Amino acid sequence: MGKGVAVFQKVIVVLIIMGMVYVRADAMPSPDLQPVQHQKPTLVERNTPIDLQFSAPSINASEVEDAYLFYKTDGDMAYSQKKVAFMGTNFSTELQVADQQASELEYYLRIDLNDGSSVTYPKEASDSPVRVEIVNPKKTDQQKVVEQTGVDYTILSPDPGVTVSQEDVVIALTLFYEPEEIDTSVTFRMYVDGSEVTEQANASDYFYSYSTEDLSMGKHQATFEVETSDTTFVLADWNFSVVAPGQRVNAFTGQEQQSWIPQGNVELRAQKQQVGGYPNDALSGNVRLSGQKGNVSYSAYGLLTTQEDPRLQPQNRYGLNLYVGNWLDLEAGHVYPTLNKFTIAGQRMQGINVGLHAWNESLNLELIYGNLRRGIDNIYNEITDDEQTIDGAEGYVLNVDDPGTYQRKVAGGRLGVQKDETFNFGLNFIKVEDDTGSIRVIDDYNDIMEVNPNLAGNLTEQEKQTLENNPDELGVSGNPSPKGNFVAASDLAVRLDNNRIEFEADGAISLLNQDISDGALTQQAADRIGFEIAESTENILDQLSWLIVINENMDTLPIRFDEQASETSGELFFPTSILAGQSQLGLSYFNNDLKLRYRWIGPGYNSLANTTVRKDIAGLSVRDRFRLFENQLYVTLGYEKLQDNVVGYKEATTNTINYRGNLSWYPMNQDLPRVSLGVMKRTRDNEVALNNPLVASLNGISEQAAVQNIATQNGDTVTTATPRFSETYQFNASVSQEFSLLGSTHDASVNYSLLNTTDQVFEYGDSQSQSISLRVVNHFDGLPLQTNIGFNLNKSETSGGLNTVDIMGANIGSSVFLLDRKLNVEVSLAYTQNRSETTPLVVSDSNTPQLSIDDYYEPASADVVTATESNSYIINTRTRYNLNDAHSLLLDFKYSNVRNTLASAATFPNDHLLQLRYIYNF
């Protein structure tokens, strides 16, 4: 025992140090229908907002708890996440890429449903997210005019799109140019609503201002032209609105109101819905407020709905944001904090997120505190007899019908120092811990008598008496385990030579406890598992429990046990599996962007606040991009070699090699198409030879169908690691084009994707999928009408062609503005045809049921092959009528019909949604 005490005391010391300091250091696939549709953009412009739209016509809004977009650039080790807004069956969010050296955006959508399940787009989001090339933005109209004329400008008043009082109309802008570098014949002209006001303007060589109180209420246009001897250029052209004197400016029509008095909107919503034949009616209301005065601004929002349910995560939402100059940021309520990708990066939290910035943001402190989820109590079934006891004695079992969840608390922070954009260093800490007192958990019969005696209703009085005398004889199956997690991380960014040289490094260490229900390890608990610890050690563990609870349920312990000696002993070591790190170098010279990245993430690294970190992976990636023809042609080449089993705990190591190439054409001439072509080859190999001579000797059976891989060692036949060797090829093509036809403007885009995997060692491991989608948006010149047409076709095969899924969809929609654009009517019709055929794999025992190593997979008999085919029709309409600037009414209607064409009658009831909303802006 003395050895055990010494070893465990050393373990405690190492755990304390690890908690405080950072040390550098297949299942068978089955086909499933894809309910989400998305037309990916051909290209993404850097520093330009892009609107990503997803449609899920088969998912009802009442089923959705939350939706998130997970995104990253250039193969980062983890995703950031962003909440996605959804209305009916449409999901949308705006994203902007600011990284000056990023060349590729990767993203996927995850829709969390009320039943605890999730739907993702793409379906295999982890291996095949949506990938889009990032390009430099085209020159703006202002930049083009500046190049042609040598004259630049800044609009002083009013800002584009804002609303001003009639008595405060001043149209002004200032000019920037070198007189000797522009045409001597240049003349400047100012217009308001098409009428020239140059003579009435207060003008100088570099400043023009026009003031008037005669403009009518409503929208107006200001134009400033540069006229040369042979050409006239529109230098500036913008719109603004005018309201009557004394009328308060509205936050939703333009100019910020410099007042503590809030402005915002209130929305009331009534919903009548039938889903799956059951009604799902709801009422809700939300409010948004904002105000600003001086350098202080605030905003608040709240949502109340009758769909709030204690068995779900919060459906009611609220939040308050306060900003004071550049030194205080405060967010409270439902917030989405980001400290570091190794800790937390956008996950929803109910609590506070505060940022303090000192000395012109040279020193920054960010703190978060709150709940990642709320507690939901278990639901238990009644006690039942257990006839499967080992010793044959009678036993009793209590099963959990719904395991519930513990309330999960989170606290963390980041302390950072930076100098402009050239240097940034931060230390990050985060603690995540389930509140063990947040739900009632039944462990024995005594707990039942306290919590819910009715659960013993099936027992006889004699059985109840037996359990009262021996409460521990009741077995409880399905209770959740409360977890605890601590992560420390550092991040460093250095940018030199005007951001042409970028170096970044991140490192982290984590501690995870899978079950903290019994608290920190005590002397009594240690004795039960074969250790003795001193009272001083127990006190240390108790004092350390504020950071993380340490007991025998730690996911990784810094100790190796030797049970072959006369008594159990342990050897102290540092568990590198709990470390994670990444470093990258980016160089941008001569229209060439080169990025090198190395990552190492141990299998024991865990952050409960960001589960998207890919674990047990290490390797190098290289990406090089060439920009040609004034940033119109982009050529990208990439190589990546990764391996798992980074700490050698598996029998075999899988190496994954990726080759990528992409060609993107982004012409300045709008008459030419935008094109992106991409290819990828991926090889996965664990260098384990396929070997099963027992299966290979069977007549007509391929060795590749074997369930197990075997080898002979010292004359004995033993099972070995499953061999893995597969090659995947992917091709993506995307083309988009704006063009004019029959007096109308059209924006068309076509996407095509092919993914093919060939498995060299498994008979039924091949898979192939291909998809094509088309979308055309039509703008009719001179008419307040916009239409869109879409078509998509998906075909996939898995299990070597045994399982097939074919999906064909088409949709058409239109949007029209009437009554001086006060009335907007949107109508869409979608049709989808799904067909699938599934042949399951079964295991054959080769007529030797006593022997398992000669088992092999084979297709099931024809009588268990299943085929489904369904047609669905979905109609969506939305009508919005703006009574005036303050009041609006919206009416949404949706009707869906799904019919199984292989059955004699419809197998699904028709669903419908009718929703009325009233919005008041103030």
Side-chain angles (χ1 to χ4, degrees):
M1 268 322 164
K3 291 183 179 179
V5 174
V7 169
F8 199 81
Q9 287 177 335
K10 293 179 181 179
V11 168
I12 301 309
V13 173
V14 172
L15 283 174
I16 295 172
I17 295 174
M18 289 179 356
M20 299 297 183
V21 185
Y22 164 67
V23 182
R24 178 77 185 183
D26 293 344
M28 303 303 297
S30 62
D32 190 15
L33 302 185
Q34 174 56 263
V36 183
Q37 301 170 9
H38 172 61
Q39 185 80 356
K40 78 169 188 176
T42 303
L43 299 164
V44 173
E45 284 190 350
R46 199 184 322 275
N47 294 319
T48 302
I50 180 173
D51 188 26
L52 299 176
Q53 300 279 348
F54 301 83
S55 176
S58 62
I59 298 178
N60 291 290
S62 60
E63 301 173 342
V64 178
E65 179 178 308
D66 263 322
Y68 294 94
L69 183 79
F70 292 82
Y71 63 95
K72 63 181 182 180
T73 58
D74 291 338
D76 279 344
M77 72 285 178
Y79 288 90
S80 296
Q81 65 186 78
K82 182 179 183 181
K83 182 174 173 57
V84 174
F86 60 93
M87 176 61 63
T89 60
N90 296 317
F91 299 79
S92 64
T93 188
E94 187 176 87
L95 196 62
Q96 183 170 325
V97 178
D99 188 341
Q100 294 301 309
Q101 291 193 346
S103 63
E104 184 181 60
L105 172 67
E106 300 179 26
Y107 64 87
Y108 67 89
L109 176 74
R110 190 186 75 194
I111 304 173
D112 297 332
L113 304 179
N114 292 331
D115 62 3
S117 62
S118 296
V119 175
T120 64
Y121 180 90
K123 178 184 169 185
E124 302 295 337
S126 57
D127 278 341
S128 301
V130 180
R131 293 185 172 93
V132 186
E133 286 289 295
I134 301 170
V135 298
N136 292 328
K138 293 180 180 178
K139 293 178 181 178
T140 64
D141 292 338
Q142 179 178 349
Q143 290 172 326
K144 294 177 181 178
V145 172
V146 170
E147 287 184 356
Q148 292 172 316
T149 65
V151 181
D152 201 354
Y153 70 94
T154 297
I155 297 174
L156 300 177
S157 173
D159 289 334
V162 306
T163 300
V164 296
S165 176
Q166 188 180 41
E167 60 190 4
D168 296 327
V169 175
V170 177
I171 303 169
L173 78 167
T174 184
L175 307 176
F176 304 93
Y177 59 90
E178 295 294 337
E180 63 275 8
E181 295 181 3
I182 66 173
D183 193 330
T184 56
S185 64
V186 161
T187 301
F188 299 115
R189 299 187 183 278
M190 177 180 279
Y191 298 85
V192 176
D193 296 332
S195 299
E196 185 175 357
V197 296
T198 310
E199 297 299 326
Q200 292 79 38
N202 178 17
S204 67
D205 289 341
Y206 301 99
F207 178 80
Y208 277 75
S209 173
Y210 173 71
S211 177
T212 179
E213 297 182 2
D214 298 331
L215 289 183
S216 60
M217 271 66 73
K219 293 184 178 180
H220 297 273
Q221 181 182 43
T223 306
F224 195 85
E225 295 181 350
V226 179
E227 183 179 306
T228 64
S229 57
D230 54 0
T231 309
T232 298
F233 298 94
V234 177
L235 187 66
D237 186 20
W238 73 102
N239 297 314
F240 61 95
S241 298
V242 173
V243 296
Q247 182 175 346
R248 185 158 61 92
V249 175
N250 189 287
F252 297 91
T253 57
Q255 194 166 310
E256 293 178 344
Q257 175 194 348
Q258 293 291 310
S259 171
W260 296 121
I261 300 175
Q263 50 190 323
N265 67 14
V266 175
E267 179 179 328
L268 303 177
R269 179 183 304 177
Q271 169 183 301
K272 183 174 180 60
Q273 185 178 34
Q274 178 175 288
V275 181
Y278 297 95
N280 183 40
D281 301 340
L283 298 173
S284 64
N286 62 66
V287 59
R288 292 184 178 273
L289 307 172
S290 65
Q292 177 177 348
K293 189 171 184 180
N295 64 349
V296 179
S297 63
Y298 70 90
S299 62
Y301 73 92
L303 167 65
L304 292 176
T305 174
T306 57
Q307 292 181 319
E308 175 68 16
D309 188 331
R311 300 299 306 170
L312 304 175
Q313 292 303 315
Q315 303 299 299
N316 293 335
R317 306 290 171 85
Y318 59 87
L320 172 66
N321 301 332
L322 175 65
Y323 305 97
V324 181
N326 61 355
W327 65 272
L328 173 65
D329 307 328
L330 174 63
E331 299 177 341
H334 291 89
V335 297
Y336 303 85
T338 295
L339 297 179
N340 174 283
K341 288 187 178 180
F342 278 126
T343 54
I344 186 170
Q347 183 170 341
R348 179 169 65 90
M349 178 191 80
Q350 185 176 354
I352 60 171
N353 177 21
V354 59
L356 299 171
H357 315 282
W359 295 298
N360 196 26
E361 301 187 58
S362 296
L363 181 64
N364 303 280
L365 175 65
E366 184 174 0
L367 300 172
I368 64 172
Y369 178 78
N371 300 319
L372 291 178
R373 66 186 188 193
R374 71 178 178 189
I376 300 175
D377 275 321
N378 298 345
I379 296 179
Y380 294 93
N381 295 320
E382 290 185 334
I383 298 175
T384 58
D385 291 337
D386 182 12
E387 299 178 354
Q388 304 298 323
T389 53
I390 296 176
D391 57 4
E394 186 175 17
Y396 306 93
V397 173
L398 178 70
N399 290 305
V400 176
D401 182 52
D402 185 338
T405 57
Y406 286 96
Q407 181 184 28
R408 179 159 289 178
K409 296 181 175 293
V410 60
R414 180 183 188 275
L415 178 63
V417 293
Q418 71 176 41
K419 182 180 179 183
D420 302 323
E421 296 183 356
T422 60
F423 178 83
N424 196 337
F425 175 76
L427 295 175
N428 307 265
F429 303 91
I430 192 167
K431 173 189 175 182
V432 179
E433 186 173 276
D434 292 341
D435 183 357
T436 56
S438 59
I439 62 175
R440 292 299 303 267
V441 175
I442 295 176
D443 290 320
D444 56 28
Y445 187 74
N446 290 336
D447 291 340
I448 288 182
M449 293 299 99
E450 293 180 9
V451 177
N452 186 2
N454 293 330
L455 295 175
N458 287 338
L459 303 180
T460 65
E461 291 301 323
Q462 181 179 355
E463 291 172 331
K464 292 180 181 179
Q465 187 62 46
T466 299
L467 286 174
E468 285 181 6
N469 297 332
N470 302 280
D472 291 336
E473 288 188 3
L474 175 67
V476 183
S477 174
N479 278 332
S481 298
K483 295 179 172 56
N485 180 216
F486 173 78
V487 179
S490 63
D491 55 77
L492 171 68
V494 179
R495 297 177 176 86
L496 305 173
D497 194 13
N498 197 26
N499 293 335
R500 292 185 176 90
I501 302 175
E502 293 187 357
F503 175 76
E504 297 181 4
D506 301 85
I509 185 172
S510 76
L511 300 173
L512 176 66
N513 192 321
Q514 296 286 1
D515 190 347
I516 62 172
S517 56
D518 293 331
L521 189 69
T522 62
Q523 290 178 303
Q524 292 78 9
D527 183 63
R528 287 198 304 269
I529 60 176
F531 278 108
E532 289 184 2
I533 61 173
E535 182 178 356
S536 58
T537 302
E538 181 180 354
N539 293 336
I540 293 176
L541 293 178
D542 183 64
Q543 294 171 5
L544 191 62
S545 61
W546 72 271
L547 184 66
I548 184 170
V549 173
I550 297 176
N551 58 29
E552 68 277 14
N553 300 312
M554 293 295 295
D555 200 49
T556 303
L557 281 173
I559 185 171
R560 293 191 183 98
F561 291 100
D562 182 6
E563 298 181 352
Q564 297 181 359
S566 57
E567 62 178 14
T568 300
S569 61
E571 177 185 4
L572 196 65
F573 81 108
F574 186 86
T576 56
S577 63
I578 61 177
L579 296 177
Q582 173 181 269
S583 58
Q584 65 181 34
L585 174 66
L587 303 174
S588 182
Y589 287 96
F590 310 110
N591 287 329
N592 186 68
D593 300 322
L594 175 67
K595 181 170 287 187
L596 307 174
R597 174 185 284 112
Y598 178 80
R599 74 184 73 176
W600 195 102
I601 303 175
Y605 179 83
N606 292 277
S607 173
L608 295 179
N610 187 3
T611 58
T612 68
V613 178
R614 185 179 177 186
K615 300 186 296 181
D616 194 17
I617 201 75
L620 176 71
S621 62
V622 182
R623 189 269 299 160
D624 199 7
R625 162 181 277 193
F626 306 90
R627 291 175 278 121
L628 307 172
F629 304 114
E630 298 181 351
N631 291 336
Q632 294 184 90
L633 183 64
Y634 295 80
V635 181
T636 306
L637 302 174
Y639 169 82
E640 182 179 63
K641 183 177 182 180
L642 301 174
Q643 70 173 59
D644 65 357
N645 197 25
V646 297
V647 294
Y649 72 103
K650 296 180 181 178
E651 188 177 349
T653 299
T654 300
N655 290 282
T656 302
I657 300 178
N658 275 288
Y659 299 92
R660 289 185 178 277
N662 191 276
L663 179 67
S664 299
W665 171 245
Y666 194 46
M668 289 190 295
N669 187 342
Q670 296 287 338
D671 294 332
L672 298 176
R674 302 178 294 276
V675 180
S676 180
L677 304 174
V679 294
M680 181 272 290
K681 177 187 176 184
R682 179 175 63 222
T683 302
R684 286 177 173 163
D685 185 6
N686 64 359
E687 299 182 348
V688 175
L690 174 66
N691 184 61
N692 194 315
L694 297 178
V695 173
S697 64
L698 298 174
N699 186 30
I701 304 301
S702 170
E703 185 180 15
Q704 293 179 315
V707 173
Q708 295 178 332
N709 207 53
I710 61 176
T712 302
Q713 296 179 359
N714 300 323
D716 296 327
T717 300
V718 297
T719 59
T720 63
T722 301
R724 186 171 192 179
F725 180 38
S726 64
E727 291 183 333
T728 299
Y729 295 89
Q730 185 175 31
F731 172 74
N732 291 288
S734 181
V735 181
S736 59
Q737 172 71 68
E738 295 179 4
F739 61 94
S740 296
L741 180 65
L742 302 177
S744 302
T745 303
H746 311 273
D747 191 346
S749 61
V750 179
N751 291 331
Y752 174 76
S753 175
L754 171 65
L755 183 67
N756 186 80
T757 297
T758 302
D759 198 311
Q760 305 292 337
V761 295
F762 182 49
E763 179 77 7
Y764 305 102
D766 292 356
S767 64
Q768 183 183 93
S769 65
Q770 56 182 322
S771 66
I772 185 170
S773 61
L774 167 68
R775 178 177 172 83
V776 181
V777 179
N778 314 289
H779 305 271
F780 296 90
D781 298 343
L783 295 176
L785 175 65
Q786 175 179 306
T787 62
N788 64 83
I789 302 171
F791 173 81
N792 59 82
L793 180 64
N794 297 270
K795 299 176 69 67
S796 64
E797 296 181 356
T798 57
S799 297
L802 294 177
N803 303 324
T804 63
V805 177
D806 296 333
I807 305 174
M808 189 274 288
N811 61 81
I812 183 170
S814 66
S815 177
V816 60
F817 293 87
L818 305 171
L819 303 179
D820 196 22
R821 303 186 72 86
K822 288 185 177 181
L823 178 63
N824 175 218
V825 180
E826 299 178 13
V827 181
S828 65
L829 172 63
Y831 167 77
T832 303
Q833 182 185 70
N834 299 310
R835 178 176 177 83
S836 67
E837 187 170 307
T838 303
T839 303
L841 287 174
V842 297
V843 177
S844 172
D845 62 8
S846 304
N847 295 319
T848 57
Q850 74 282 0
L851 188 66
S852 63
I853 57 177
D854 63 347
D855 293 351
Y856 62 89
Y857 290 108
E858 64 177 356
S861 59
D863 58 343
V864 297
V865 175
T866 59
T868 63
E869 183 173 315
S870 63
N871 297 332
S872 63
Y873 302 86
I874 300 175
I875 300 174
N876 278 290
T877 68
R878 167 174 291 181
T879 302
R880 176 169 184 147
Y881 182 68
N882 299 320
L883 285 77
N884 50 42
D885 288 342
H887 304 276
S888 300
L889 291 174
L890 290 87
L891 181 66
D892 294 301
F893 175 74
K894 174 189 173 183
Y895 176 84
S896 63
N897 172 277
V898 180
R899 179 174 294 275
N900 188 340
T901 59
L902 300 183
S904 59
T907 56
F908 306 100
N910 296 331
D911 294 339
H912 66 260
L913 167 70
L914 182 64
Q915 187 179 88
L916 177 64
R917 289 187 290 158
Y918 164 71
I919 300 176
Y920 170 55
N921 297 324
F922 58 91

